[in-house]
Amino acid sequence: MSDFGARVRAALAERGISLRAAAKSVPIDPGHLSRILAGKRPVPPHVAEALDRLAGADGALAALAATLNEDDRSRIAHSVAMPERLDAGTVRALADVLAAQRRLDDTLPAVAMLPATSAQWETVERLAREARGPHTDTLHEVAAEWVQFIGWLHAEARNDAAAVRWLTEAEERADDVECGELAAQAANFKGYLARQQGRPRAVVRWFSAAYHTPGAAPLQRVGDAVQAAHGYALLGERETARRLLGEASDLADAAADTPPPETAYWLSPTFSRMGMGLVHLALGDHAEAADNLRAGLDGLPPEQRDAEWSREYRDALDEAEAGV
């Protein structure tokens, strides 16, 4: 399920590193490494860590390799074969795989993530459709998040039609499991896509929907208010943009000691500063924009600073600093 081999190959290809060069760097016999990546041999921790360093994955590949042990693999296989006997361990193992992949997305491009993640979804979908018993509801929550993650990857990769299709399904599944956090995040990702498309009215529409979704976490609402404000600023509705910024500031103060939901682990009290920077940039406040963007980017964990999605904010910082 973890598809460690596929992720390693994608990461090495992204950096132009051949399998033979990787084997020499580990060091390990190229044939043995090939068998490990094909899933025919277990992944020794020191090999996983060496490949992680080589790929510049900041621990995400090593964590993925350690996600599933043999017991977990056997448990998942047993549940797939006999879905009426789904157990808590299988659901936990699937959730762990998804969490590891979401963190790997911070270091690998979406196009490299999509093939294996989509293939894994086929197993999760089948199990979610056929499973029975007391752990089914929890599995459906994992499945809803999995659909949302695939939608996000398509949005990052700018497969726009596929992104909208997957994120719409993610909203529906979130409603089915009555999870406001997942529903709000799916709407948020639609807002992100609209921003990449340069559609400010859609930016306002989707981030406003996320902001007003019942059950959204406090830190989610902070970010959604800020990003809706950005849409209004792009439309020239300056007063509304500043009003929403004020609401976001009040929410941020109230949410200062509130942890982010597990499904949106990247949120932090400083994360929304990047969105605030976009708002001020759209309003023409270059100095204010630069201060906020710099603070938000500096507050990111090291593994997220060069993430594909962070480029938008780094480019905005360059533009703001040029206008100061």
Side-chain angles (χ1 to χ4, degrees):
M1 270 298 298
S2 70
D3 279 328
F4 174 77
R7 310 296 188 182
V8 169
R9 291 180 184 276
L12 294 178
E14 180 71 16
R15 293 200 161 207
I17 301 172
S18 69
L19 189 65
R20 184 168 294 278
K24 184 177 180 180
S25 178
V26 170
I28 189 175
D29 177 76
H32 190 191
L33 178 58
S34 181
R35 288 188 287 275
I36 288 173
L37 298 185
K40 297 178 180 178
R41 294 286 187 277
V43 187
H46 76 279
V47 172
E49 291 167 4
L51 291 171
D52 186 283
R53 288 193 297 271
L54 192 62
D58 291 310
L61 276 173
L64 184 64
T67 298
L68 294 184
N69 55 37
E70 287 305 311
D71 286 343
D72 289 331
R73 294 176 189 278
S74 297
R75 184 178 288 112
I76 291 173
H78 183 264
S79 291
V80 170
M82 304 186 71
E84 71 278 4
R85 296 189 179 182
L86 176 73
D87 62 7
T90 296
V91 178
R92 174 197 52 76
L94 292 173
D96 288 347
V97 169
L98 179 56
Q101 291 185 131
R102 297 201 80 146
R103 284 163 174 76
L104 190 57
D105 174 51
D106 291 329
T107 56
L108 285 184
V111 292
M113 294 286 297
L114 268 166
T117 304
S118 300
Q120 291 169 339
W121 166 243
E122 295 178 9
T123 299
V124 176
E125 181 185 33
R126 176 186 165 192
L127 187 56
R129 185 173 60 248
E130 300 177 359
R132 300 292 182 272
H135 306 291
T136 305
D137 288 348
T138 308
L139 175 62
H140 286 165
E141 291 179 14
V142 174
E145 186 182 356
W146 212 296
V147 170
Q148 182 194 105
F149 182 50
I150 294 176
W152 163 250
L153 291 177
H154 278 296
E156 265 195 307
R158 291 304 308 275
N159 303 325
D160 294 4
V164 171
R165 185 173 66 252
W166 280 94
L167 291 172
T168 298
E169 181 179 347
E171 288 177 302
E172 293 169 356
R173 286 178 179 263
D175 287 342
D176 288 343
V177 299
E178 298 183 348
C179 182
E181 293 172 352
L182 285 176
Q185 199 60 53
N188 174 288
F189 288 160
K190 282 187 174 181
Y192 165 85
L193 180 60
R195 192 166 68 235
Q196 308 316 304
Q197 295 170 327
R199 298 166 56 219
R201 294 184 190 281
V203 169
V204 170
R205 181 166 65 251
W206 288 115
F207 284 119
S208 294
Y211 180 42
H212 292 291
T213 296
L219 285 175
Q220 285 180 297
R221 298 194 71 229
V222 172
D224 293 330
V226 167
Q227 293 174 96
H230 181 223
Y232 278 115
L234 292 172
L235 290 169
E237 298 189 26
R238 301 173 67 87
E239 284 190 19
T240 305
R242 293 191 184 281
R243 175 180 58 77
L244 275 171
L245 273 184
E247 290 182 23
S249 180
D250 291 341
L251 282 169
D253 290 342
D257 298 322
T258 303
E262 292 182 5
T263 56
Y265 66 90
W266 57 89
L267 295 177
S268 69
T270 60
F271 188 89
S272 63
R273 295 286 298 275
M274 292 182 294
M276 291 178 182
L278 294 183
V279 181
H280 285 292
L281 185 60
L283 292 172
D285 304 331
H286 291 88
E288 191 85 16
D291 287 346
N292 277 282
L293 286 160
R294 198 177 299 112
L297 287 166
D298 288 347
L300 291 176
E303 66 272 13
Q304 292 180 12
R305 290 177 186 172
D306 293 321
E308 196 169 28
W309 53 261
S310 71
R311 185 180 305 119
E312 174 184 18
Y313 301 108
R314 287 184 270 119
D315 289 347
L317 177 58
D318 290 342
E319 182 181 346
E321 289 178 334
V324 173

